[in-house]
Amino acid sequence: MTESTITAKGQTTVPAYVRALVNAEPGTRLVWSVMPDGTIIVRAKTKSILDMAGMLKAPKSKRVAIEDMNPWH
């Protein structure tokens, strides 16, 4: 188990071992979630939504015009 200490200013250092595991670099944002039982989950936000561009392929099905999607045409 790895631990760190919170300073008087509310800051802490993420241990090098943990930073390496999540590929965190300076500027990496951390997302903190507090669970109802008091457990704290910290996620490194290393990806942007823009990083997902092009991940999905368009379906090879028939295209439908927007006008045809309107149920009252």
Side-chain angles (χ1 to χ4, degrees):
M1 179 175 301
T2 305
E3 58 182 61
S4 63
T5 303
I6 298 175
T7 68
K9 291 184 179 182
Q11 299 171 335
T12 190
T13 300
V14 179
Y17 163 76
V18 175
R19 291 192 314 266
L21 284 175
V22 297
N23 298 319
E25 299 174 346
T28 298
R29 298 180 59 87
L30 300 177
V31 179
W32 298 74
S33 303
V34 180
M35 302 290 105
D37 67 354
T39 301
I40 298 173
I41 298 173
V42 183
R43 292 184 302 122
K45 190 174 179 182
T46 56
K47 298 272 184 194
S48 162
I49 191 74
L50 298 175
D51 294 331
M52 292 196 263
M55 288 179 69
L56 300 176
K57 303 295 179 200
K60 296 184 189 241
S61 61
K62 178 181 169 188
R63 296 193 183 264
V64 178
I66 294 175
E67 296 80 27
D68 294 336
M69 292 182 198
N70 185 348
W72 296 284
H73 62 196

